[in-house]
Amino acid sequence: MFAFDNSYTRLPERFYTKMAPAPVADPGWVALNEGLARELGLDPDALRDAVDVFAGNRVPEGAKPLAQLYAGHQFGGWSPQLGDGRAILLGEHLGPQGRVDVQLKGSGPTPYSRMGDGRAALGPVIREYVVSEAMHALGVPTTRALAAVTTGETVLRQEGPLPGGVLTRIAASHIRVGTFQVFAARDDVEGLRLLLDHAIARHAPGADGPMGLLRHVMDAQAKLVAQWMGLGFVHGVMNTDNMTISGETIDYGPCAFMETYHPDIVFSSIDQFGRYAWSKQPDIALWNLAQLATALLPLMGDREAAVADATEVLEGFRDLYAKAWTKVMAAKIGMNDMNLAMELLDIMREGGGDFTNTFRALTVDPDVARDQVTCRERFDDWLARWQARSPDNGAMARANPAIIPRNHRVEQAIAAAYEGDLAPFHALNAVLADPWSETEANRPYRVPATDAERVTQTFCGT
Ligand code: AMP
Ligand code: MG
């Protein structure tokens, strides 16, 4: 079924625990991503017949399942040991576009589960499926969702007993900043070196040593976070264990796309202090990259010189990010003028504009864009100056989506799924597959939440 070649298993045993997923009572299909299956060189019909594999009830040929070890800073606090507490890496599939991890999430307890049950409720599985696939359609590097299944079991969560689910996640790899941190914290320099070589081979071929990898990850993360920012995306848990070395978005827990623009917006119910607010994300990315640099220090030779070099490299992040952000905003307003772009954001803040719809309206019909904000005079003044500069409409059309996965829509799909109705989930996926045009089908999905529908908090995928 898969063409497995499991390079992670060739790393020392202390990197992981070899173990199979725990079987579930009664596997049932939620979704198979046939388009992704084809991209991976897999036969959708064969996958369709293998619901037991996606539930963790059968280990497919060639797989060498394991749970990965990592650590991380969670909300700034150090957790010396995390790891795949509810996930199993089945193996690495070699597809037409290269090597990818195939991971089951919600696959049962592991030695890294701590107090958790190793399972996932169906809701978070659906959220990750919808949002990660939407991110991909929006052109943002991300892990993908190949399959989602129900387990026929219930899991106990804050809300009460909920149907369980398992997501099959595809990723360039699951190596995180926290994977480097765990070996650094244990003074395991050999482990660090092996991980460095492995990560360079997979994600940054040609990169020159630890500093080369650091530069590569900085560049990828600067571009990634700039893309998030340009879509109003708030990740919600930018812990170092949720930041990949590949530069893919990972871990769609309490994430959300903002509707009414506000730079300090936070969704996560556990982010009391706004650490991971929309506007803070570039700073947090840098903070996480500094943790990566710190973890890599033992590989950089003379410590004092290494600290000086690493600091200098990290200081380059602001420039990298500014370049990436300028590029994103230049496309969004169709001209390279950050002052004009920032002025628009400020008008949206004052005038309560829907982030997605204001930019889209500017793209398709600037005259209705003013209806998005309440401070019309200020907006009209801006609009006149902007229009006089002949914005590049083509660039704007490729940068300003008509639809994003609005939180209330995701929550509706989850609520319906809990009632046994998957139609809203499938409908949502279908419209999000093409976010770049206004269609009759996506019209209802372009409307912001009403006061009654609005979701102001999202919860962790645990
Ligand atoms: P997250 O906040 O989702 O990135 O997860 C942080 C850590 O908690 C990771 O080590 C997860 O494997 C672990 N974890 C989260 N949910 C569960 C669960 N239901 N069972 C066991 N471990 C979990
Ligand atoms: Mg995580």
Side-chain angles (χ1 to χ4, degrees):
M1 186 163 61
F2 293 100
F4 281 124
D5 173 66
N6 306 312
S7 66
Y8 213 76
T9 63
R10 299 195 277 273
L11 289 164
E13 299 251 341
R14 63 185 186 280
F15 279 58
Y16 47 76
T17 301
K18 283 188 179 163
M19 59 181 296
V24 303
D26 185 19
W29 275 115
V30 174
L32 172 65
N33 189 340
E34 298 198 352
L36 176 57
R38 279 185 217 98
E39 281 176 47
L40 295 171
L42 301 168
D43 172 14
D45 293 331
L47 299 190
R48 181 68 68 187
D49 289 336
V51 71
D52 52 348
V53 166
F54 297 102
N57 287 22
R58 177 165 67 88
V59 174
E61 209 185 307
K64 286 190 177 166
L66 57 85
Q68 287 177 314
L69 169 72
Y70 53 87
H73 280 94
Q74 301 181 301
F75 293 90
W78 172 242
S79 298
Q81 196 199 284
L82 297 167
D84 291 334
R86 53 168 160 174
I88 291 288
L89 175 65
L90 279 183
E92 297 154 38
H93 167 70
L94 295 182
Q97 289 155 33
R99 178 183 298 271
V100 291
D101 277 7
V102 181
Q103 192 204 58
L104 301 185
K105 189 171 171 184
S107 49
T110 76
Y112 315 112
S113 297
R114 298 183 294 170
M115 304 304 278
D117 59 3
R119 292 296 183 191
L122 181 58
V125 167
I126 282 186
R127 181 183 298 110
E128 178 156 346
Y129 193 112
V130 169
V131 184
S132 67
E133 285 306 302
M135 287 289 259
H136 173 73
L138 289 162
V140 183
T142 176
T143 64
R144 305 281 310 270
L146 178 62
V149 301
T150 49
T151 59
E153 298 175 5
T154 53
V155 294
L156 211 53
R157 292 294 180 265
Q158 228 171 350
E159 306 94 300
L162 297 170
V166 179
L167 181 81
T168 303
R169 179 158 74 182
I170 302 295
S173 88
H174 285 83
I175 304 168
R176 309 143 190 269
V177 169
T179 320
F180 282 92
Q181 286 181 290
V182 79
F183 297 108
R186 294 176 180 192
D187 291 322
D188 182 351
V189 179
E190 193 215 20
L192 266 181
R193 185 173 308 284
L194 291 167
L195 181 63
L196 174 73
D197 292 345
H198 180 91
I200 287 179
R202 277 180 91 164
H203 301 303
D208 188 9
M211 211 64 90
L213 183 72
L214 179 63
R215 284 182 200 278
H216 180 88
V217 178
M218 271 176 52
D219 191 55
Q221 288 291 341
K223 288 179 178 140
L224 178 67
V225 174
Q227 278 192 285
W228 291 355
M229 298 294 284
L231 292 166
F233 179 73
V234 182
H235 181 283
V237 241
M238 282 181 76
N239 296 335
T240 57
D241 55 304
N242 291 335
M243 181 186 263
T244 59
I245 299 302
S246 67
E248 288 181 339
T249 312
I250 195 170
D251 241 337
Y252 293 86
C255 63
F257 288 79
M258 64 170 139
E259 297 200 293
T260 305
Y261 174 72
H262 200 290
D264 300 332
I265 202 158
V266 174
F267 294 96
S268 170
S269 60
I270 53 175
D271 190 1
Q272 295 160 20
F273 304 107
R275 179 178 170 90
Y276 299 145
W278 177 80
S279 62
K280 301 265 185 66
Q281 295 182 119
D283 286 342
I284 291 292
L286 174 57
W287 193 90
N288 289 349
L289 290 162
Q291 307 314 311
L292 176 63
T294 305
L296 290 168
L297 278 180
L299 300 176
M300 291 180 182
D302 174 70
R303 189 161 178 103
E304 223 171 286
V307 169
D309 288 352
T311 306
E312 197 185 315
V313 169
L314 287 169
E315 278 167 0
F317 181 80
R318 293 200 190 280
D319 252 7
L320 279 177
Y321 179 74
K323 276 203 188 91
W325 177 227
T326 302
K327 201 170 154 198
V328 164
M329 288 312 289
K332 287 186 82 70
I333 66 164
M335 65 188 64
N336 191 347
D337 186 332
M338 276 313 253
N339 290 331
L340 215 49
M342 292 306 113
E343 206 183 319
L344 174 61
L345 288 184
D346 200 54
I347 292 167
M348 286 165 64
R349 167 157 61 175
E350 187 190 331
D354 179 271
F355 189 82
T356 304
N357 289 355
T358 304
F359 282 105
R360 187 68 190 182
L362 277 175
T363 308
V364 295
D365 187 358
D367 294 328
V368 302
R370 69 193 299 271
D371 300 338
Q372 297 287 330
V373 294
T374 51
C375 45
R376 302 261 160 95
E377 240 170 80
R378 211 180 149 203
F379 183 82
D380 285 343
D381 169 66
W382 181 90
L383 192 71
R385 284 181 285 134
W386 174 73
Q387 279 182 313
R389 304 258 311 270
S390 321
D392 174 354
N393 195 257
M396 291 180 71
R398 291 185 296 276
N400 296 313
I403 55 164
I404 39 108
R406 291 182 186 271
N407 219 348
H408 66 293
R409 288 292 180 182
V410 177
E411 293 306 322
Q412 281 167 9
I414 290 172
Y418 279 146
E419 298 296 315
D421 177 11
L422 292 172
F425 163 70
H426 290 302
L428 187 56
N429 281 328
V431 293
L432 288 168
D434 172 20
W436 303 113
S437 40
E438 282 82 3
T439 63
E440 209 37 52
N442 74 23
R443 180 192 301 278
Y445 297 87
R446 287 184 254 136
V447 182
T450 61
D451 285 342
E453 288 169 332
R454 188 164 303 118
V455 181
T456 54
Q457 285 198 331
T458 54
F459 295 89
C460 248
T462 50

